[in-house]
Amino acid sequence: MPADHLPPASSGGAAPREAAPGEDERLAAFDALIAADQRIEPTDWMPPAYRKALVRQMSQHAHSEIIGMQPEGNWITRAPSLKRKAILMAKVQDEAGHGLYLYSAAETLGTTRDEMLDALHSGKAKYSSIFNYLAPSWADMGSIGWLVDGAAIANQVPLCRASYGPYGRAMVRICKEESFHQRQGFEILLALMNGTDEQRAMAQESVNRWYAPALMMFGPPDGESPNSRQSMAWKIKRFSNDELRQRFVDMIVPQAEILGVTFPDPDLRWNEERGHHDFGELDWDEFHAVLRGNGQANALRLAKRNAAHAEGAWVREAARAYAERTATSERIAS
Ligand code: FAQ
């Protein structure tokens, strides 16, 4: 029977039923929640494009945390003292935890951890450009903490207010930990800058290498950022890439003065009129080359990640077997 010949829902004497909300009504309810700065939760209806945008950003973010363990993890055995080793181990473990919160939060959107990891391991998924740079000196542990975690905080504090509940809530704890990470990086550099000429030179050389890549972590300039507008309209992102980059530069310049290091940018100066620091154009060709897989360490990072996953297969199998056995004994007991 054609749809327009169907009897009305209230026919047959039954009490009239409320019609299930149509697409327009659900979209209006979603828009109203966003407009009122309310959170969207996993069981709420959401536009498929919103879900897709979140899976994209959250899974990339999770991958960044996990791949980001490598440059510092590589220094744990070579840390210059027991204290430094203990701090570095704790930091790298924190990053693993951040990855796990974010994968769990992304799973609430209906994507599986295996799907996300497959995309990472096959090289299809993106992760932050910054982790495709090598960290050849101990001072790099300072620069990563100060500049990389510092940029991560500048980017992530506004994400604590992201419209998607599980993402925003995961970010609160992550930001608290990142703040400790940034201080420990700053303190490593401070110790080096208070050391010998050789140590000061090591710190400065490291800062020279990490400054521009850290600024690129905020993503392409606003005019070339295809996702920003919609993401800001949905209140996933609260500020644009350039706004956050500017905020970060304004934050690190006085910190660099305390450390006694300089940044490798001849155009970096205070602009009284704007009330911000001006800074030079970044090398966006380098950024895109890194995203295409041609950075210093893309191949190395992916190979290590794949090897670690393969070596961990027995742990996953054991955990699965244990879960099955526990479930069976619970069934027998009940
Ligand atoms: N690297 O349209 P937009 C950390 C891609 S965590 C690689 O502007 P959007 C902690 C972007 O995905 C660091 N790709 O994109 C730590 C898009 O490609 P798609 C990670 C980048 O999403 C410290 C395309 O370019 N943090 O460091 C990058 O609006 C130490 C066009 O860009 C997060 O992920 C990049 N830098 O804005 C861990 C924070 N930038 O997906 C260990 C959450 C852009 O269309 C040790 N993410 N792309 O194919 C965000 O806030 C945003 O996703 C942005 C990019 C700001 C990264």
Side-chain angles (χ1 to χ4, degrees):
M1 191 191 295
D4 51 350
H5 290 160
L6 283 171
S10 59
S11 72
R17 275 187 306 156
E18 234 176 77
E23 194 83 346
D24 288 350
E25 284 149 302
R26 291 193 293 191
L27 185 58
F30 170 86
D31 286 342
L33 282 176
I34 297 284
D37 248 332
Q38 299 282 315
R39 285 245 148 104
I40 307 298
E41 296 297 341
T43 49
D44 292 337
W45 182 88
M46 61 188 87
Y50 175 79
R51 188 184 297 276
K52 196 170 160 202
L54 282 168
V55 169
R56 178 188 67 81
Q57 177 165 329
M58 290 163 68
S59 62
Q60 285 179 9
H61 195 164
H63 299 330
S64 304
E65 302 281 356
I66 298 296
I67 295 280
M69 294 165 69
Q70 290 188 29
E72 289 166 296
N74 196 30
W75 271 94
I76 290 174
T77 55
R78 293 174 289 159
S81 69
L82 183 60
K83 177 183 131 189
R84 294 292 184 200
K85 191 194 285 270
I87 294 171
L88 199 57
M89 273 170 61
K91 180 185 189 296
V92 173
Q93 281 180 353
D94 283 353
E95 307 300 359
H98 298 174
L100 298 184
Y101 310 151
L102 288 164
Y103 284 127
S104 298
E107 281 179 311
T108 64
L109 291 156
T111 180
T112 67
R113 180 123 12 153
D114 283 344
E115 283 165 344
M116 290 185 269
L117 288 178
D118 283 349
L120 173 65
H121 296 150
S122 67
K124 250 194 357 218
K126 288 193 174 76
Y127 57 84
S128 183
S129 50
I130 195 74
F131 301 118
N132 292 310
Y133 291 84
L134 293 168
S137 87
W138 168 250
D140 292 339
M141 299 305 97
S143 296
I144 291 176
W146 177 41
L147 296 174
V148 176
D149 287 275
I153 295 172
N155 170 263
Q156 290 170 193
V157 166
L159 289 175
C160 296
R161 293 193 293 124
S163 55
Y164 188 56
Y167 193 26
R169 288 190 288 272
M171 292 317 305
V172 172
R173 173 136 179 212
I174 291 177
C175 284
K176 283 185 187 157
E177 292 176 354
E178 299 291 24
S179 153
F180 149 73
H181 296 167
Q182 193 201 15
R183 281 154 206 234
Q184 68 84 41
F186 185 88
E187 207 265 325
I188 288 176
L189 290 178
L190 193 61
L192 291 173
M193 291 306 288
N194 285 327
T196 63
D197 285 350
E198 207 181 342
Q199 286 172 318
R200 269 191 290 280
M202 188 202 275
Q204 181 61 61
E205 188 275 335
S206 171
V207 169
N208 289 348
R209 279 184 289 108
W210 289 94
Y211 170 75
L215 262 58
M216 290 181 197
M217 284 174 70
F218 295 92
D222 291 350
E224 293 157 34
S225 164
N227 300 300
S228 278
R229 239 165 72 109
Q230 184 59 70
S231 184
M232 287 170 73
W234 278 328
K235 298 184 181 166
I236 299 171
K237 276 165 86 159
R238 297 282 176 156
F239 299 96
S240 77
N241 298 356
D242 285 332
E243 282 169 337
L244 292 175
R245 194 174 358 258
Q246 178 72 64
R247 201 180 270 196
F248 178 60
V249 171
D250 290 340
M251 180 183 89
I252 58 175
V253 167
Q255 295 176 352
E257 278 163 19
I258 296 169
L259 283 175
V261 294
T262 57
F263 291 130
D265 178 359
D267 298 323
L268 181 63
R269 64 182 62 88
W270 176 250
N271 182 327
E272 193 64 54
E273 215 172 289
R274 291 199 312 117
H276 291 290
H277 292 87
D278 290 337
F279 54 98
E281 190 56 36
L282 295 162
D283 183 353
W284 293 109
D285 289 343
E286 175 180 309
F287 174 76
H288 290 295
V290 172
L291 258 57
R292 281 196 304 273
N294 300 325
Q296 293 172 348
N298 296 62
L300 178 70
R301 301 287 183 241
L302 215 51
K304 272 204 149 191
R305 176 63 220 155
N306 273 294
H309 191 69
E311 280 163 23
W314 71 270
V315 180
R316 292 189 295 280
E317 261 163 47
R320 230 185 326 265
Y322 178 75
E324 273 163 23
R325 213 180 53 195
T326 313
T328 311
S329 38
E330 271 168 13
R331 259 200 312 274
I332 291 167
S334 64

CSV table of all heavy atoms in Angstrom, one decimal, residues 179-201:
chain,number,residue,atom,x,y,z
A,179,SER,N,50.0,20.2,32.3
A,179,SER,CA,50.6,21.3,32.9
A,179,SER,C,51.8,21.0,33.8
A,179,SER,O,52.8,21.7,33.7
A,179,SER,CB,49.4,21.9,33.8
A,179,SER,OG,49.9,22.6,34.8
A,180,PHE,N,51.8,19.8,34.4
A,180,PHE,CA,53.0,19.3,35.1
A,180,PHE,C,54.1,19.0,34.1
A,180,PHE,O,55.2,19.3,34.3
A,180,PHE,CB,52.6,18.1,35.9
A,180,PHE,CG,53.7,17.0,36.1
A,180,PHE,CD1,54.8,17.3,36.9
A,180,PHE,CD2,53.6,15.8,35.4
A,180,PHE,CE1,55.8,16.3,37.0
A,180,PHE,CE2,54.6,14.9,35.5
A,180,PHE,CZ,55.7,15.1,36.3
A,181,HIS,N,53.7,18.4,32.9
A,181,HIS,CA,54.7,18.1,31.9
A,181,HIS,C,55.4,19.3,31.4
A,181,HIS,O,56.6,19.3,31.2
A,181,HIS,CB,54.0,17.5,30.7
A,181,HIS,CG,53.3,16.2,31.0
A,181,HIS,ND1,52.4,15.5,30.1
A,181,HIS,CD2,53.4,15.3,32.1
A,181,HIS,CE1,52.0,14.4,30.7
A,181,HIS,NE2,52.6,14.3,31.9
A,182,GLN,N,54.6,20.4,31.3
A,182,GLN,CA,55.3,21.6,30.7
A,182,GLN,C,56.3,22.2,31.8
A,182,GLN,O,57.4,22.6,31.4
A,182,GLN,CB,54.2,22.7,30.4
A,182,GLN,CG,54.8,23.8,29.6
A,182,GLN,CD,54.1,25.1,29.7
A,182,GLN,OE1,53.2,25.3,30.5
A,182,GLN,NE2,54.4,26.0,28.8
A,183,ARG,N,55.9,22.1,33.0
A,183,ARG,CA,56.8,22.7,34.1
A,183,ARG,C,58.1,21.8,34.2
A,183,ARG,O,59.1,22.4,34.4
A,183,ARG,CB,56.1,22.6,35.4
A,183,ARG,CG,55.2,23.8,35.6
A,183,ARG,CD,54.1,23.5,36.6
A,183,ARG,NE,52.9,24.3,36.3
A,183,ARG,CZ,52.3,25.1,37.1
A,183,ARG,NH1,52.8,25.2,38.4
A,183,ARG,NH2,51.3,25.8,36.8
A,184,GLN,N,57.9,20.5,34.0
A,184,GLN,CA,59.1,19.7,34.1
A,184,GLN,C,60.1,20.0,32.9
A,184,GLN,O,61.3,20.0,33.1
A,184,GLN,CB,58.8,18.2,34.3
A,184,GLN,CG,58.2,17.4,33.2
A,184,GLN,CD,59.2,16.9,32.2
A,184,GLN,OE1,60.3,16.5,32.5
A,184,GLN,NE2,58.9,17.0,30.9
A,185,GLY,N,59.5,20.2,31.8
A,185,GLY,CA,60.3,20.6,30.6
A,185,GLY,C,61.1,21.9,30.8
A,185,GLY,O,62.3,22.0,30.6
A,186,PHE,N,60.3,22.9,31.3
A,186,PHE,CA,60.9,24.2,31.6
A,186,PHE,C,62.0,24.0,32.6
A,186,PHE,O,63.1,24.6,32.5
A,186,PHE,CB,59.8,25.1,32.2
A,186,PHE,CG,60.2,26.5,32.4
A,186,PHE,CD1,60.1,27.4,31.4
A,186,PHE,CD2,60.7,26.9,33.6
A,186,PHE,CE1,60.5,28.8,31.6
A,186,PHE,CE2,61.1,28.2,33.8
A,186,PHE,CZ,61.0,29.1,32.8
A,187,GLU,N,61.8,23.2,33.6
A,187,GLU,CA,62.8,23.0,34.6
A,187,GLU,C,64.1,22.3,34.1
A,187,GLU,O,65.2,22.6,34.6
A,187,GLU,CB,62.2,22.2,35.8
A,187,GLU,CG,62.8,22.5,37.2
A,187,GLU,CD,63.8,21.5,37.5
A,187,GLU,OE1,63.7,20.3,37.1
A,187,GLU,OE2,64.8,21.8,38.1
A,188,ILE,N,63.9,21.4,33.2
A,188,ILE,CA,65.1,20.8,32.6
A,188,ILE,C,65.9,21.8,31.9
A,188,ILE,O,67.2,21.9,32.0
A,188,ILE,CB,64.7,19.7,31.5
A,188,ILE,CG1,64.1,18.4,32.3
A,188,ILE,CG2,65.9,19.2,30.6
A,188,ILE,CD1,63.6,17.3,31.3
A,189,LEU,N,65.2,22.7,31.1
A,189,LEU,CA,66.0,23.7,30.4
A,189,LEU,C,66.6,24.7,31.3
A,189,LEU,O,67.7,25.2,31.1
A,189,LEU,CB,65.1,24.4,29.4
A,189,LEU,CG,64.6,23.6,28.2
A,189,LEU,CD1,63.7,24.4,27.3
A,189,LEU,CD2,65.8,23.1,27.3
A,190,LEU,N,65.9,25.1,32.4
A,190,LEU,CA,66.4,26.0,33.4
A,190,LEU,C,67.7,25.5,34.0
A,190,LEU,O,68.7,26.2,34.2
A,190,LEU,CB,65.3,26.3,34.5
A,190,LEU,CG,65.6,27.4,35.4
A,190,LEU,CD1,65.6,28.8,34.6
A,190,LEU,CD2,64.5,27.5,36.5
A,191,ALA,N,67.7,24.2,34.3
A,191,ALA,CA,68.9,23.5,34.9
A,191,ALA,C,70.0,23.6,33.9
A,191,ALA,O,71.2,24.0,34.3
A,191,ALA,CB,68.6,22.1,35.3
A,192,LEU,N,69.8,23.4,32.6
A,192,LEU,CA,70.8,23.4,31.6
A,192,LEU,C,71.3,24.9,31.5
A,192,LEU,O,72.5,25.1,31.4
A,192,LEU,CB,70.3,22.9,30.3
A,192,LEU,CG,70.1,21.4,30.2
A,192,LEU,CD1,69.4,21.0,28.9
A,192,LEU,CD2,71.3,20.6,30.4
A,193,MET,N,70.4,25.8,31.5
A,193,MET,CA,70.8,27.2,31.3
A,193,MET,C,71.6,27.7,32.5
A,193,MET,O,72.3,28.7,32.4
A,193,MET,CB,69.6,28.1,31.0
A,193,MET,CG,68.9,27.8,29.7
A,193,MET,SD,70.0,28.0,28.3
A,193,MET,CE,70.3,29.7,28.2
A,194,ASN,N,71.4,27.1,33.6
A,194,ASN,CA,72.2,27.5,34.8
A,194,ASN,C,73.5,26.6,34.9
A,194,ASN,O,74.2,26.7,35.9
A,194,ASN,CB,71.4,27.3,36.1
A,194,ASN,CG,70.4,28.4,36.3
A,194,ASN,OD1,70.6,29.5,35.8
A,194,ASN,ND2,69.2,28.0,36.8
A,195,GLY,N,73.8,25.9,33.9
A,195,GLY,CA,74.9,25.0,33.9
A,195,GLY,C,76.2,25.5,33.2
A,195,GLY,O,76.4,26.7,33.3
A,196,THR,N,76.9,24.6,32.5
A,196,THR,CA,78.1,25.1,31.8
A,196,THR,C,77.8,25.7,30.5
A,196,THR,O,76.6,25.6,30.0
A,196,THR,CB,78.9,23.8,31.5
A,196,THR,OG1,78.2,22.9,30.7
A,196,THR,CG2,79.3,23.0,32.8
A,197,ASP,N,78.8,26.3,29.8
A,197,ASP,CA,78.6,26.9,28.5
A,197,ASP,C,78.0,25.8,27.5
A,197,ASP,O,77.2,26.1,26.7
A,197,ASP,CB,79.9,27.4,27.9
A,197,ASP,CG,80.3,28.7,28.6
A,197,ASP,OD1,79.4,29.3,29.3
A,197,ASP,OD2,81.4,29.2,28.4
A,198,GLU,N,78.6,24.6,27.7
A,198,GLU,CA,78.2,23.5,26.8
A,198,GLU,C,76.7,23.2,27.0
A,198,GLU,O,76.0,22.9,26.0
A,198,GLU,CB,79.1,22.3,27.1
A,198,GLU,CG,79.2,21.3,25.9
A,198,GLU,CD,80.1,20.1,26.3
A,198,GLU,OE1,80.8,20.2,27.3
A,198,GLU,OE2,80.0,19.1,25.6
A,199,GLN,N,76.3,23.2,28.2
A,199,GLN,CA,74.9,22.8,28.5
A,199,GLN,C,74.0,23.9,28.0
A,199,GLN,O,72.9,23.7,27.5
A,199,GLN,CB,74.7,22.6,30.0
A,199,GLN,CG,75.2,21.3,30.5
A,199,GLN,CD,75.2,21.1,32.0
A,199,GLN,OE1,75.6,22.1,32.7
A,199,GLN,NE2,74.9,20.0,32.5
A,200,ARG,N,74.4,25.2,28.2
A,200,ARG,CA,73.6,26.3,27.7
A,200,ARG,C,73.5,26.2,26.2
A,200,ARG,O,72.4,26.4,25.6
A,200,ARG,CB,74.2,27.7,28.1
A,200,ARG,CG,73.7,28.2,29.4
A,200,ARG,CD,74.2,29.6,29.6
A,200,ARG,NE,75.6,29.7,29.9
A,200,ARG,CZ,76.2,29.4,31.0
A,200,ARG,NH1,75.4,29.1,32.1
A,200,ARG,NH2,77.5,29.5,31.2
A,201,ALA,N,74.6,25.9,25.5
A,201,ALA,CA,74.5,25.8,24.0
A,201,ALA,C,73.6,24.6,23.6
A,201,ALA,O,72.9,24.8,22.6
A,201,ALA,CB,75.9,25.5,23.5
